[in-house]
Amino acid sequence: MTTTPRPAVAADLAPAGVLRASVNLGNPVLAQGTPEAPGGITVDLAREIGARLGLPVELLCFDAARKSFDAMADGRADLCFLAVDPARETEVAFTAPYVVIEGVYAVPRGSALSTVEEVDAPGVRIGVKKGSAYDLFLSRSLAHATVVRGDEGVDVFRAEGLEVGAGIRQPLTAYAAAHPDVRLIEGRFMEIRQAVGTTVGRRPETVAFLRDTVEELKANGFVAESLRRSGQDTALLAPPA
């Protein structure tokens, strides 16, 4: 654990005296509820970090990861909860992940596509949520298929009659269960490593405090219990760093 005095960390992380945390309500695994009354693992983490530093917490709620990232990059937030990605690491210093989520594909029931590998083919269009971790990943890793961005991957997949929709396993599984004309392709195309972040300009001791705190909260059951309370699978808990 870092030995930097917590008042020094608090002053560096939240110089205004209030810890401003950006929360992505667009990811139902991480946050639920409304902007007025949010809940979930990210909200619990923000409040716990604030409590440890003796800081009041202001929750800034957004409906998409890209908006949460923009708040961090623009200086409107001190803390964020985003998937680790090289495109974000130019602006954000991340902890190790506290939760690992799977990115999966949905296709029409009658689609000939049956494996993750088959999706990356000429003529295949994949609907994604603009600015999401899987948008960033697929945009740089696909060799043949085309990414089509929208407010929600499954919505643009449906509205434009695309060959594939990409998303997070839990909500996409629920969508497929409610729409018999859609099925999931077995397996995952990526692991989405959700972590705590702050701006890269913070002191190394501040980032170390966040990293140590996340590891402690993973080890002592805090993260698993928060996932359970919010109705999420505790198996999502990330392994130790």
Side-chain angles (χ1 to χ4, degrees), residues 19-34 38-50 57-62 68 79-83 98-99 101 194-197 214 217 222-223 225-227 229-230 232:
L19 183 62
R20 303 168 301 166
S22 64
V23 173
N24 175 22
L25 289 173
N27 186 329
V29 175
L30 304 182
Q32 307 87 36
T34 65
I41 178 59
T42 55
V43 173
D44 289 348
L45 284 170
R47 288 174 173 157
E48 177 65 15
I49 291 168
V57 176
E58 179 185 358
L59 300 173
L60 309 174
C61 295
F62 303 95
S68 182
L79 204 66
C80 64
F81 303 90
L82 295 167
Y98 57 89
V99 159
I101 304 171
Q194 296 289 341
V196 179
V214 167
L217 296 177
F222 179 99
V223 173
E225 175 58 21
S226 176
L227 288 168
R229 281 199 312 272
S230 60
Q232 306 305 313

Side-chain angles (χ1 to χ4, degrees), residues 58-130:
E58 179 185 358
L59 300 173
L60 309 174
C61 295
F62 303 95
D63 61 3
R66 71 181 184 278
K67 297 178 183 178
S68 182
F69 171 79
D70 288 344
M72 182 91 265
D74 295 344
R76 289 175 286 137
D78 307 306
L79 204 66
C80 64
F81 303 90
L82 295 167
V84 179
D85 187 272
R88 294 171 176 164
E89 288 181 306
T90 58
E91 302 283 349
V92 179
F94 286 104
T95 68
Y98 57 89
V99 159
V100 178
I101 304 171
E102 292 183 328
V104 298
Y105 291 134
V107 295
R109 175 68 60 182
S111 172
L113 298 171
S114 60
T115 68
V116 167
E117 292 73 23
E118 289 173 349
V119 169
D120 190 11
V124 175
R125 299 165 298 166
I126 306 171
V128 303
K129 185 169 186 172
K130 182 180 178 181

Side-chain angles (χ1 to χ4, degrees), residues 176-190:
H179 297 81
D181 60 329
V182 173
R183 63 177 173 84
L184 297 190
I185 290 180
E186 186 175 352
R188 64 172 186 259
F189 64 83
M190 73 173 297

